[in-house]
Amino acid sequence: MDFSDIADRGLVLLGCGKMGSAMLAGWLEGGLPPRSVWVVDPAPSDWLRGTGVNLNADLPETPAIVLVAVKPQMMGEALPGHSALGGGGTLFVSVAAGTSIATYESLLGAGTPVVRAMPNTPAAIGRGITALIGNAATGEADLARAEALLSAVGQTVRLQDESQMDAVTGVSGSGPAYVFHLIETLAAAGAAQGLPEDLAMRLARATVAGAGALAEAADETPGELRVNVTSPNGTTQAALEVLMDEKTGFPALLARAVAAATERSKELSRG
């Protein structure tokens, strides 16, 4: 990424918890000078103190970007104090879950370019995926800058409408937890069939991680990959007959789970 504009005008990071730290680490590794970053965080970690960024210092007058990474419940305290940066000179990028673009516009002004983004926890190892959408005041250059910053922690995708963010939350935002639970239950099922618990867990973790990497790297669709490893009347088919049952298997279960997460996201956005 070309950090020249940010290096000249500065980048402000509001909140530096797990997600903020992951992004900051990616930017610094990508060549962003530490002195071009201002971090506002009430409880900075030892790692953050050692990065060389401007920590809880006076902010530049018109930074290029303000990235909001505070928890949603802290938004009411964090954002109003920076309302003077609204109006169009500074791009605001939010990774705070459940906070709508309209909320930012009400605090910063409708003319403020705002990009709302939803990353997920694999961002901590640079393997996340972030969905983003801009308001009417954002141009292509603003979206490109937001994508460049967010790509420091993984892939990015653009949404067509902000209303899609709730479904994104249900699929990729909350999705890692579904996969972690799959690993837990797969390991428990292996232990129930006589494997030592530590061995069952090692097999389950490596299997899910490897299958995910293969699904991402392969030219075939996940459905084709599934067929490729399913021999007629074999062991995999026996298991899939259980997992693919329309009433009790994955199709119905995951549809209900994603719908529940999506609905809860809508409720949180409404406050």
Side-chain angles (χ1 to χ4, degrees):
M1 173 185 177
D2 181 4
F3 286 119
S4 56
D5 182 43
I6 296 174
D8 291 340
R9 296 174 54 197
L11 181 151
V12 175
L13 176 60
L14 300 183
C16 199
K18 292 182 178 179
M19 188 61 67
S21 295
M23 290 188 292
L24 177 58
W27 302 334
L28 297 178
E29 290 172 7
L32 181 62
R35 301 310 297 174
S36 298
V37 181
W38 279 256
V39 177
V40 180
D41 191 279
S45 65
D46 290 340
W47 173 83
L48 177 58
R49 293 180 186 277
T51 58
V53 301
N54 301 283
L55 183 56
N56 295 325
D58 291 339
L59 304 182
E61 290 187 9
T62 55
I65 298 176
V66 172
L67 196 141
V68 184
V70 300
K71 294 181 179 179
Q73 57 267 33
M74 297 173 63
M75 194 68 66
E77 298 179 14
L79 208 55
H82 301 87
S83 59
L85 298 177
T90 297
L91 169 64
F92 279 74
V93 180
S94 169
V95 296
T99 305
S100 68
I101 288 175
T103 297
Y104 288 98
E105 291 177 336
S106 68
L107 295 169
L108 302 169
T112 304
V114 177
V115 172
R116 181 182 174 189
M118 169 60 69
N120 60 4
T121 54
I125 59 168
R127 295 295 303 274
I129 187 164
T130 302
L132 55 92
I133 182 79
N135 68 348
T138 59
E140 175 59 32
D142 294 318
L143 288 169
R145 283 198 297 173
E147 283 182 318
L149 282 177
L150 295 166
S151 66
V153 292
Q155 302 178 50
T156 63
V157 294
R158 294 190 190 184
L159 303 182
Q160 296 177 327
D161 189 271
E162 189 181 6
S163 63
Q164 295 174 312
M165 196 64 80
D166 296 310
V168 167
T169 301
V171 175
S172 62
S174 299
Y178 316 157
V179 178
F180 300 149
H181 188 50
L182 170 62
I183 294 172
E184 288 181 299
T185 54
L186 183 57
Q193 296 302 313
L195 292 174
E197 289 186 2
D198 59 342
L199 175 58
M201 178 58 74
R202 184 177 178 185
L203 290 169
R205 292 171 87 162
T207 297
V208 172
L214 177 59
E216 190 168 48
D219 292 331
E220 298 93 336
T221 66
E224 290 170 334
L225 292 172
R226 170 180 52 77
V227 170
N228 291 345
V229 299
T230 306
S231 301
N233 299 317
T235 58
T236 306
Q237 181 176 323
L240 288 175
E241 286 175 357
V242 176
L243 295 176
M244 296 178 70
D245 185 279
E246 292 186 1
K247 293 183 179 179
T248 60
F250 278 171
L253 188 62
L254 283 177
R256 284 165 43 209
V258 172
T262 301
E263 184 56 36
R264 182 57 178 153
S265 177
K266 293 178 181 178
E267 293 171 356
L268 291 172
S269 295
R270 291 192 293 264

